[in-house]
């Protein structure tokens, strides 16, 4: 056990040394700060694919942090286990007076942190949390009546007006790294030590040119070109600070800023309505009688529905862990409405594949597309995959990229006919919504 009192900074979804709020507060505390990361076996044990690219991404980000820390005579302490046991144990071992972390708003994380807090409290150790992954959290952006917003546009207006008043704070943690201390225990497992291997997936850069953000409004809906930032995985794991990106968006493009606000809107919804992880935001939609045909679900997953834009999207997802937002909307609508398969099945499949998987945005996106979420697309508006293709991929650039040799005249037969499927969806939804409660 160390004799001098220390502080621990616990990295979670904030894997960077720059402009990191909780890290900044720890480094200002006056005590040497020991940086810690825990590979959570509660999560890892449930990942079926041992080449999961998210684990590799995290591992690379940790290596980067460790290398940078070595320049300051410190190093990252990486543990494997259940954080509710590991963190209190390390806090004792390192003689910490406080564990610092940035807040995480997902239901699992909230439960985990509550448990860590209690264990630390019992040992007389503080646990301090900070806001880092969003500009506004929890109940900071509320309606005049004190209730949470459930519609995006008024939420975004309030969000912007609050930001105009408060400005964007900076937490220059990178300037205080000399206060870091190594745990003096050699602890940096390789990927194979945690039971995983490299995925072979190429990760998007954390840099995006100003030009992409400036032209975002014109290019964001065209999947065949590089018209979006591809920063979602970096926002997910905190390898870039959202505050700096928001400052750029404020200067460069309001449409882009709005997308960052959608991300916060869904985080806020998940915070106030955690039941939406398993249930439709609008509970009437839980009465829908899904067809749930396993064979059709398998064809959707493989990208073999006979609808080229849907198939291209699913193949992009399967090969890269990414799918363009426009296409995410099309494939999600297709699964829930054309195939009448429970949106939760699709949500779980995305969760297993998406590099940028984020519970709040994924639930939000799926419920929006299935028509059962807050501020969702109305149920009777069913995306027509052919029209979506004509509008957003008219020369088949995107489709050809993911379906090599694609020929519009000789493609797979559709697994369901469009007009039939559309009418069936509207009928089925209508029946569910019209059921009277007794
Ligand atoms: P850009 O268009 O460059 O947008 C910039 C950032 O804004 C994104 O990185 C993201 O953080 C945020 N953002 C953009 N659009 C949205 C949106 N509609 N909702 C919330 N945040 C948004 N996004 C995720 O990060 N994780 C998910 O698990 C996820 N699941 C989705 C599921 C469905 C069915 C749908 C329709 C959308 C989902 N999205 C999800 C939102 C969106 O598709 C991705 O954020 C976006 O495609 C990522 O690419 P980008 O970084 O180039 O985005």
């Amino acid at each position: 056990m160390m004799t001098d009192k220390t502080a621990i900074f616990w990295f979670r979804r904030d894997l960077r040394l720059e402009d990191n709020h909780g890290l900044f507060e720890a480094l200002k505390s006056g005590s040497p700060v020991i940086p810690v990361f825990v590979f959570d076996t509660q999560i890892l044990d449930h990942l079926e694919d041992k080449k999961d690219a998210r684990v590799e991404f995290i591992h690379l980000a940790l290596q980067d942090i460790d290398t940078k820390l070595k320049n300051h005579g410190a190093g990252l302490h990486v543990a494997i286990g259940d954080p509710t046991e590991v963190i209190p144990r390390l806090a004792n071992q390192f003689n910490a007076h406080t564990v610092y972390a940035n807040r995480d708003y997902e239901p699992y994380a909230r439960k985990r942190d509550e448990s860590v807090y209690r264990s630390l409290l019992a040992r007389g150790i503080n646990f301090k949390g900070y806001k880092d992954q969003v500009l506004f959290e929890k109940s900071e952006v509320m309606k005049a009546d004190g209730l949470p917003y459930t519609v995006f546009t008024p939420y975004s207006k309030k969000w912007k007006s609050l930001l105009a008043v408060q400005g964007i704070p900076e937490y220059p943690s990178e300037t205080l790294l000399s206060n870091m201390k190594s745990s003096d225990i050699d602890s940096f497992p390789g990927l194979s030590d945690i039971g995983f291997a490299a995925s072979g997936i190429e990760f998007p850069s954390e840099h995006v040119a100003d030009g992409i953000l400036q032209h975002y409004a014109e290019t964001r809906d065209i999947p065949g070109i590089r018209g979006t930032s591809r920063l979602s995985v970096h926002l997910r794991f905190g390898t870039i600070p959202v505050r700096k990106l928001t400052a750029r968006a404020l200067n460069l493009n309001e449409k882009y800023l709005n997308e960052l606000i959608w991300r916060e809107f869904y985080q806020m919804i998940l915070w106030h309505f955690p039941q939406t992880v398993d249930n439709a935001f609008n509970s009437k939609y839980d009465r829908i009688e899904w067809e749930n045909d396993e064979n059709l679900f398998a064809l959707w997953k493989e990208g073999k529905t006979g609808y080229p834009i849907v198939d291209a999207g699913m193949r992009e997802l399967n090969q890269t862990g990414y799918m363009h937002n426009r296409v995410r909307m099309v494939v999600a609508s297709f699964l829930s409405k054309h195939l009448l398969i429970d949106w939760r099945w699709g949500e779980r499949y995305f969760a297993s594949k998406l590099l940028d998987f984020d519970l709040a945005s994924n639930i939000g996106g799926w419920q929006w597309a299935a028509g059962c979420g807050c501020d969702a697309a109305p149920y009777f508006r069913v995306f027509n995959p052919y029209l979506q293709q004509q509008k957003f991929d008219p020369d088949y650039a995107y489709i050809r990229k993911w379906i090599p040799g694609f020929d519009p005249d000789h493609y797979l037969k559709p697994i369901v006919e469009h007009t039939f499927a559309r009418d069936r969806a509207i009928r089925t939804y209508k029946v569910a919504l019209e059921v009277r409660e007794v």
Side-chain angles (χ1 to χ4, degrees):
M1 176 154 153
M2 295 182 180
T3 47
D4 292 338
K5 282 282 182 191
T6 66
I8 283 181
F9 179 71
W10 178 14
F11 282 101
R12 290 110 66 93
R13 42 185 297 174
D14 47 12
L15 304 180
R16 64 181 194 285
L17 294 170
E18 177 208 2
D19 190 22
N20 181 323
H21 189 181
L23 179 60
F24 181 65
E25 299 296 338
L27 291 167
K28 278 198 325 186
S29 70
S31 307
V33 177
I34 301 182
V36 166
F37 180 86
V38 185
F39 274 109
D40 185 346
T41 43
Q42 302 287 330
I43 298 173
L44 295 190
D45 290 351
H46 292 104
L47 296 177
E48 279 168 25
D49 182 0
K50 294 305 166 197
K51 289 187 175 177
D52 194 300
R54 278 99 37 122
V55 180
E56 186 189 8
F57 183 89
I58 293 172
H59 193 259
L60 287 169
L62 298 178
Q63 273 177 336
D64 187 50
I65 290 176
D66 190 51
T67 307
K68 287 178 180 152
L69 286 177
K70 294 253 156 62
N71 295 332
H72 295 271
L76 185 61
H77 185 95
V78 179
I80 306 169
D82 178 346
T84 62
E85 290 158 17
V86 174
I87 291 293
R89 178 168 47 74
L90 291 180
N92 260 357
Q93 201 179 337
F94 299 160
N95 199 13
H97 57 77
T98 306
V99 174
Y100 291 82
N102 289 311
R103 280 194 281 275
D104 188 333
Y105 311 101
E106 292 187 1
Y108 166 75
R110 288 168 71 175
K111 226 168 112 201
R112 174 199 64 201
D113 287 356
E114 178 66 28
S115 165
V116 170
Y117 168 76
R118 286 185 191 288
S119 301
L120 291 173
L121 191 68
R123 294 167 160 86
I125 302 169
N126 302 310
F127 186 26
K128 292 190 178 170
Y130 295 88
K131 177 176 67 170
D132 182 71
Q133 55 162 306
V134 285
L135 271 296
F136 295 108
E137 63 176 8
K138 301 180 183 176
S139 304
E140 289 186 320
V141 181
M142 299 292 267
K143 293 194 293 183
D145 61 7
L147 293 173
Y149 284 97
T150 55
V151 177
F152 175 73
T153 304
Y155 169 86
S156 69
K157 283 193 181 138
K158 182 72 172 280
W159 189 102
K160 286 175 191 171
S161 68
L162 287 173
L163 193 75
V165 175
Q166 297 182 13
I168 300 179
E170 286 179 22
Y171 304 103
S173 40
E174 67 281 8
T175 61
L176 299 175
L177 296 180
S178 53
N179 298 348
M180 286 288 208
K181 184 178 159 42
S182 169
S183 70
D184 295 330
I185 302 167
D186 191 17
S187 165
F188 201 104
L191 203 48
S192 58
D193 298 323
I194 45 176
F196 285 80
S199 64
I201 280 180
E202 203 181 315
F203 299 115
S205 160
E206 78 251 42
H207 302 290
V208 62
D210 279 356
I212 288 187
L213 302 189
Q214 274 156 347
H215 297 117
Y216 183 76
E218 301 85 66
T219 56
R220 62 189 285 259
D221 267 324
I222 308 171
I225 60 173
R226 172 66 207 277
T228 67
S229 68
R230 301 292 304 264
L231 290 178
S232 47
V233 64
H234 296 289
L235 288 167
R236 167 64 183 86
F237 292 110
T239 38
I240 58 168
V242 69
R243 289 176 292 276
K244 295 252 158 67
L245 187 62
T246 305
R248 281 180 79 193
L250 271 172
N251 283 330
L252 294 173
N253 195 309
E254 181 154 22
K255 200 89 192 151
Y256 189 75
L257 179 67
N258 285 344
E259 295 311 309
L260 297 179
I261 303 175
W262 268 107
R263 175 177 168 271
E264 303 214 352
F265 176 68
Y266 283 141
Q267 298 252 14
M268 179 278 295
I269 292 289
L270 184 62
W271 173 263
H272 288 284
F273 306 97
Q275 72 277 15
T276 54
V277 171
D278 298 308
N279 301 294
F281 179 84
N282 185 340
S283 59
K284 283 186 194 162
Y285 288 80
D286 281 333
R287 300 184 199 135
I288 291 172
E289 301 245 357
W290 304 105
E291 297 275 322
N292 286 345
D293 183 317
E294 307 239 4
N295 293 327
L296 296 181
F297 184 53
L299 292 169
W300 176 83
K301 286 196 287 189
E302 288 168 39
K304 291 187 180 158
T305 66
Y307 283 85
I309 187 107
V310 174
D311 295 349
M314 297 309 293
R315 292 179 200 198
E316 180 182 25
L317 176 67
N318 292 334
Q319 285 172 43
T320 68
Y322 181 81
M323 193 194 301
H324 188 279
N325 179 60
R326 167 62 45 188
V327 192
R328 289 188 205 200
M329 293 195 282
V330 174
V331 306
S333 166
F334 184 84
L335 185 83
S336 49
K337 293 187 176 163
H338 281 71
L339 300 184
L340 275 179
I341 291 179
D342 194 330
W343 61 270
R344 281 161 278 236
W345 290 27
E347 193 275 330
R348 285 294 89 203
Y349 188 68
F350 267 34
S352 72
K353 291 279 170 189
L354 279 176
L355 205 48
D356 63 24
F357 165 60
D358 176 78
L359 189 65
S361 294
N362 205 38
I363 295 282
W366 271 95
Q367 292 208 17
W368 183 90
C372 60
C374 58
D375 207 7
Y379 77 87
F380 47 82
R381 205 172 293 155
V382 178
F383 272 2
N384 178 333
Y386 298 120
L387 292 181
Q388 291 288 313
Q389 175 269 314
Q390 281 165 22
K391 198 162 171 202
F392 300 109
D393 194 32
D395 52 6
Y396 301 106
Y398 175 76
I399 289 171
R400 287 213 165 89
K401 181 161 183 205
W402 299 106
I403 310 177
F406 172 75
D407 176 352
D409 299 325
H410 300 96
Y411 188 59
L412 298 175
K413 194 171 165 299
I415 54 174
V416 63
E417 198 270 321
H418 169 67
T419 310
F420 158 79
R422 179 185 166 279
D423 294 347
R424 181 182 61 174
I426 294 175
R427 235 179 14 251
T428 309
Y429 270 63
K430 201 156 178 260
V431 168
L433 298 180
E434 280 174 355
V435 172
R436 295 263 178 281
E437 312 222 357
V438 279

